[in-house]
Amino acid sequence: MSERKKFYITTPIYYPSGKFHIGTAYTTVLADSIKRYKTLRGYDTFLLTGTDEHGQKIQTVAEKNGKTPQEHVDLMAEEAKKLWKLMDIQYDDFIRTTESRHTKVVQKIFDRFMETGDIYKGNYEGWYCMPCETYFTKTQLVDGKCPDCGREVKLMKEEAYFFNMKKYADRLIKYYEDHPDFIKPEYRKTEMLNNFIKPGLEDLCVSRTSFDWGIQVLKDPKHVVYVWLDALTNYITALGYMSENEELFEKYWPADLQIVGKDIARFHLIYWPIFLMALDLPLPKTILVHNWIMMKDGKMSKSKGNVIYPELLINRYGLDATKYYLLKEVPESQDGLFTPEGFIERFNSNLCNDLGNLLNRTIAMCNKYFKGEVPKYNGTPNEVDKEFEEFAKKQVENVEQKYDEYNIASALQEIWELIARTNKYIDETLPWTLAKENEEEKLKSVIYHLIENLRKIAIMLLPVMANTANEILRQLGIEKNNLKTWESLSKYDQITQVKVIEKGEPLFMRLNTEEEIDYIKSSMKS
Ligand code: MSP
């Protein structure tokens, strides 16, 4: 039996400090769709997600809620799992950094770094942003405030352990040069080199004495491990690294893809690879840095009253429409923008009109002209059909390429080009005229090509909109599994003895634009 190739993919682990909004859900939705794509391509996939439960911020939030930190994170981890269930995220493991399978290994790693001299004791003084749990140098501050979140920072000094990052700087640069696929997109690498590495890498503070909600340093118990060394190692502790059972670690490490938002790029593109080098472990094959979903007035925040929660969109417009919007909206090159207007517009025009109507018209015509029986493939009787078929083949290749590059927004764009071309084909071939003029062969070919393109569209949508894709296949009467595989996309002549359903059912119901925009806007304020 031939071994399936493995694909290990991770999301960042989330801070369980407040309710997740659509921005925070984005990373996980993106990871889930890539996992589904890889599974469809025959890979043995493993998707890891989880919660990052230590640090001062969590301690403060818990206190505010009248809970112990442990009570707070227990509750929040359940909330996270509930959301992933609602969003049908197919994760294989959920790691919590308070679990002993993680804490024990972090302690061992810290010890080992102390022994190898990678970690040394010193004093840390810097400008600390509590919500971001990050120290900044004076020059990094913007108007004396945190450069990431714009909030107040405090000058703090404490005894602390440091990780000797400088020692690894040259190796890291060399690694970047030798592994062009390591960082995606490419411009993030340039940012790291120019902003952080070339100006001189600073050693990273890896312990704290100013709070105690963290993993204790065994050899110096007044210190707890500072949150990034704790958090980043989750990607290997979840696989059982340094535990009695390293089976999963041996099978899945190094990760094939680690997905992170742009705000945490520095930690994943610099510190994480260096920690791995210090542990003598191979580095992940690719780290994908994605942009953010923004609002017209900047970042989503409760205080601005501009937060959109995924539950709101899912409960009212469905999971697939929500995922479609999120994944389509954030391009590789810049941030995406959420607007209620844009959401409703995309729903009505891309989902109802372009996709929904195409399916509906096709099913209606197949019923009207052929009693629902999909005609047999009979070659391509004319130039229009030939060109149309070639276009579909090319789009399949484009979509595959975009998925392979993990560029889901562009994959969706390519799928919609095929949808648009297929709609145009109806206008070009005028099936109702062909029927009137008894052009039986041509009409058969048109209907076959429409059904076949819809089958292809459905398969290509499976990673992002599984419910919709399966519903399209159901309405088309495609039941055989060999007609639902990715491999079947390269063929054009496979549909035989298929009958579409008698009456098409709408995939998406058209929304009243004004009403729905008001609905979303009012829920943002509540
Ligand atoms: N706990 C750290 C990650 C540690 S990984 C070892 C963390 N957590 S987070 O909850 O703050 O963020 C989780 C993810 O959500 C990050 O990838 C972050 O970039 C992403 N996003 C938060 N807001 C976002 C948007 N508005 N848009 C897209 N992604 C966003 O960071």
Side-chain angles (χ1 to χ4, degrees), residues 8 10-14 48-52 93-97 101-102 105-106 109 227-241 253 258 268 272:
Y8 178 40
T10 68
T11 74
I13 46 170
Y14 287 77
L48 176 70
T49 192
T51 35
D52 182 3
D93 196 359
F94 187 103
I95 182 136
R96 300 181 51 190
T97 54
R101 62 169 169 156
H102 176 76
V105 178
V106 172
I109 291 175
V227 73
W228 281 104
L229 179 56
D230 167 358
L232 287 162
T233 46
N234 88 86
Y235 304 127
I236 49 178
T237 59
L239 297 179
Y241 173 66
W253 193 259
Q258 301 208 256
H268 284 83
W272 177 225

Side-chain angles (χ1 to χ4, degrees), residues 6-11 34 38 175-176 179-186 188 235 252-260 265 268-269 272-273 276 282-290 332 403-407:
K6 64 92 185 172
F7 192 83
Y8 178 40
I9 171 169
T10 68
T11 74
I34 296 171
K38 285 290 175 182
Y175 194 88
Y176 281 7
H179 298 84
D181 285 338
F182 181 53
I183 298 176
K184 282 190 176 155
E186 172 94 16
R188 295 289 176 195
Y235 304 127
Y252 287 110
W253 193 259
D256 297 275
L257 180 64
Q258 301 208 256
I259 302 187
V260 302
H268 284 83
L269 301 180
W272 177 225
L276 289 168
L283 270 46
K285 291 191 190 131
T286 298
I287 300 181
L288 175 72
V289 180
H290 67 72
E332 205 180 67
Y403 271 129
D404 283 337
E405 290 168 357
Y406 313 127
N407 189 341

Side-chain angles (χ1 to χ4, degrees), residues 11-15 20-27 52 57 228 231-232 234-235 259-264 268 290-294 300:
T11 74
I13 46 170
Y14 287 77
Y15 283 128
F20 293 178
H21 54 60
I22 54 163
T24 36
Y26 174 78
T27 315
D52 182 3
K57 185 159 116 191
W228 281 104
L232 287 162
N234 88 86
Y235 304 127
I259 302 187
V260 302
K262 61 175 185 176
D263 57 320
I264 52 174
H268 284 83
H290 67 72
N291 287 306
W292 269 36
I293 296 182
M294 303 298 281
M300 256 176 264

Side-chain angles (χ1 to χ4, degrees), residues 182-336:
F182 181 53
I183 298 176
K184 282 190 176 155
E186 172 94 16
Y187 68 89
R188 295 289 176 195
K189 173 161 63 187
T190 318
E191 261 175 33
M192 292 302 127
L193 286 167
N194 294 348
N195 300 350
F196 304 107
I197 305 176
K198 287 191 179 151
L201 210 48
E202 295 199 12
D203 289 349
L204 180 75
C205 182
V206 288
S207 83
R208 289 279 188 274
T209 52
S210 48
F211 61 89
D212 61 4
W213 180 241
I215 302 172
Q216 213 171 39
V217 174
L218 286 179
K219 293 203 173 116
D220 197 348
K222 67 175 189 296
H223 288 258
V224 292
V225 179
Y226 165 63
V227 73
W228 281 104
L229 179 56
D230 167 358
L232 287 162
T233 46
N234 88 86
Y235 304 127
I236 49 178
T237 59
L239 297 179
Y241 173 66
M242 277 193 186
S243 75
E244 287 116 56
N245 183 355
E246 290 199 321
E247 214 176 288
L248 282 178
F249 179 73
E250 271 154 27
K251 178 169 177 191
Y252 287 110
W253 193 259
D256 297 275
L257 180 64
Q258 301 208 256
I259 302 187
V260 302
K262 61 175 185 176
D263 57 320
I264 52 174
R266 176 162 60 110
F267 304 103
H268 284 83
L269 301 180
I270 298 177
Y271 305 137
W272 177 225
I274 289 181
F275 289 150
L276 289 168
M277 284 175 181
L279 288 169
D280 265 329
L281 291 176
L283 270 46
K285 291 191 190 131
T286 298
I287 300 181
L288 175 72
V289 180
H290 67 72
N291 287 306
W292 269 36
I293 296 182
M294 303 298 281
M295 305 302 279
K296 266 193 189 138
D297 49 353
K299 280 188 183 178
M300 256 176 264
S301 83
K302 255 194 187 165
S303 54
K304 283 191 200 157
N306 65 357
V307 182
I308 300 276
Y309 295 107
E311 291 88 346
L312 167 99
L313 299 178
I314 294 167
N315 293 339
R316 193 150 174 112
Y317 309 108
L319 178 60
D320 282 12
T322 305
K323 290 207 287 191
Y324 169 73
Y325 184 84
L326 294 182
L327 292 173
K328 183 76 209 303
E329 217 40 52
V330 184
E332 205 180 67
S333 53
Q334 63 191 63
D335 286 334

